[in-house]
Amino acid sequence: MNSPSEHRTGLAYGFTAYGLWGLFPLYWPLLEPTGAIEILAHRMVWSLAAVVLVLIVMRRWSWIGPLLRQPKRLALIALGAAVISVNWAMYIWSVNSGHVVEAALGYFINPLVSIAFGVLVLRERLRPLQWTAVGVGVAAVLVLAIGYGRPPWIALTLAFSFGSYGLIKKRVGLDGLESLAAETALQFLPALGFLIFLGARGGSTFTDTGPVHALLLAGTGVITALPLIAFGASAVRLPLSTIGLMQYLAPTFQFVLGLVVFHEEMPPERWAGFSLVWLALALLTWDALHNAHRSRAALRVATSAAVAGAVPEVVPEVVPEVVPEVVPEAAVPDAAPSGSAPEPEALRG
């Protein structure tokens, strides 16, 4: 068990990670007039540079050799790189096109999507309250679709791409930093090729808009790596339940920014849809905390019986919890997955 000081340190790292992910909408508009695709390419290139620098400092290279000898795992990483590229591109475009609130909605919906994947793909069982939460989430999407006059496709694209990314990362089984390094290594050459092509055509903004703008584009690598590193430091110091609750900080910050800073409209039907989503998340959170309490109580009973030299005839059964994948950026918007410790990659939009 970690000491109180370690717990406080973990909370500080966690707030740093999710806070940075939540403030991403303030960064992307600074890169105008650069288009979303060029920003995405710079992010891929400079993220690899930042991650390689961290790996050099930490001397974490031993995972590369075994990975290169596993073609199926490499194929999954390539698929993950493609899916997170879609997530990053959609997030950047949505923020710079005035859809910050709908982007935040995508990351509020993401835990529900992860649960759906757990049931449909991993054959996990849901408890009744989790089924209720999923049903409320579906109702929320229907309300928003009626209110918009169309499905909330930005939010759904972000939620399903990030949910798919979390599922793939669960299968790959690499830590956050190594996973980001492998994915950006695969993204690097196509992204660099696109930037060279853009520059040859005279369409690049990297060298034509001044040194400050060039530094901001290069900074996309730093802002991708920093929250992921902070998240990793938090995950080893905090319980999974605490990390799971903190994942809602990033979309909450984004939602507030959309209202207060970007002055996006919130008609009544949008408030109704968001309220249903928040109700679904409240149900999931209560159910997770209640199940965790039951698990601890059952463990105490079993431990006490073992110490007393007796085995209770009935040990309360606790249905395994379906924990939503938490990945920021690489997320929280872009950037986080389940099991021992969630991995935000895309919250991290």
Side-chain angles (χ1 to χ4, degrees):
M1 180 179 295
N2 290 330
S3 66
S5 63
E6 281 287 283
H7 187 82
R8 288 192 295 270
T9 301
L11 287 174
Y13 278 122
F15 279 113
T16 298
Y18 285 105
L20 288 172
W21 280 322
L23 295 176
F24 269 17
L26 297 177
Y27 194 87
W28 305 126
L30 299 177
L31 304 179
E32 294 177 349
T34 306
I37 301 302
E38 185 181 357
I39 294 174
L40 175 66
H42 276 288
R43 186 178 187 182
M44 293 172 174
V45 169
W46 296 108
S47 291
L48 179 62
V51 172
V52 167
L53 181 60
V54 174
L55 290 174
I56 290 174
V57 172
M58 300 179 70
R59 298 181 180 180
R60 288 169 61 172
W61 304 106
S62 59
W63 57 276
I64 296 178
L67 178 62
L68 293 176
R69 294 190 292 271
Q70 301 177 61
K72 290 184 179 179
R73 209 173 179 201
L74 286 172
L76 283 174
I77 290 174
L79 181 60
V83 171
I84 199 62
S85 296
V86 172
N87 183 273
W88 284 0
M90 177 58 72
Y91 186 78
I92 294 168
W93 177 86
S94 63
V95 169
N96 285 357
S97 300
H99 299 286
V100 176
V101 169
E102 190 172 346
L105 175 64
Y107 290 106
F108 279 126
I109 293 175
N110 177 68
L112 301 172
V113 172
S114 295
I115 284 179
F117 281 161
V119 173
L120 298 174
V121 180
L122 303 179
R123 306 298 181 185
E124 294 173 338
R125 291 182 299 161
L126 294 188
R127 294 181 295 276
L129 200 57
Q130 291 175 315
W131 278 115
T132 303
V134 171
V136 172
V138 171
V141 172
L142 292 176
V143 168
L144 289 165
I146 293 171
Y148 281 117
R150 59 167 176 81
W153 61 272
I154 294 173
L156 292 175
T157 300
L158 288 171
F160 277 91
S161 61
F162 197 63
S164 301
Y165 177 65
L167 181 64
I168 293 167
K169 283 176 68 69
K170 187 178 181 71
R171 296 292 180 87
V172 171
L174 274 181
D175 288 341
L177 191 63
E178 287 86 346
S179 177
L180 183 62
E183 290 156 8
T184 51
L186 293 174
Q187 294 169 332
F188 179 79
L189 287 179
L192 183 62
F194 173 78
L195 292 177
I196 293 173
F197 171 76
L198 202 62
R201 293 184 54 190
S204 173
T205 62
F206 185 68
T207 56
D208 297 342
T209 49
V212 173
H213 189 77
L215 286 174
L216 286 172
L217 285 171
T220 56
V222 176
I223 68 165
T224 297
L226 273 183
L228 182 63
I229 294 170
F231 173 81
S234 175
V236 299
R237 291 174 169 86
L238 295 177
L240 181 60
S241 58
T242 303
I243 293 290
L245 291 175
M246 293 181 75
Q247 71 175 303
Y248 301 126
L249 288 176
T252 299
F253 288 164
Q254 294 159 19
F255 176 76
V256 172
L257 287 175
L259 293 182
V260 176
V261 177
F262 297 99
H263 305 292
E264 294 186 17
E265 294 182 358
M266 280 292 291
E269 59 272 17
R270 182 177 279 190
W271 278 114
F274 267 81
S275 297
L276 287 173
V277 171
W278 293 331
L279 173 60
L281 296 179
L283 291 173
L284 284 180
T285 300
W286 188 91
D287 180 79
L289 293 175
H290 178 68
N291 194 61
H293 175 74
R294 288 179 60 203
S295 299
R296 288 192 296 268
L299 180 61
R300 283 196 298 268
V301 169
T303 303
S304 300
V307 170
V311 179
E313 294 181 5
V314 179
V315 175
E317 177 186 1
V318 178
V319 179
E321 177 183 353
V322 179
V323 181
E325 300 287 348
V326 188
V327 177
E329 206 125 224
V332 252
D334 292 298
S338 84
S340 54
E343 280 204 25
E345 268 323 319
L347 266 179
R348 346 325 156 212

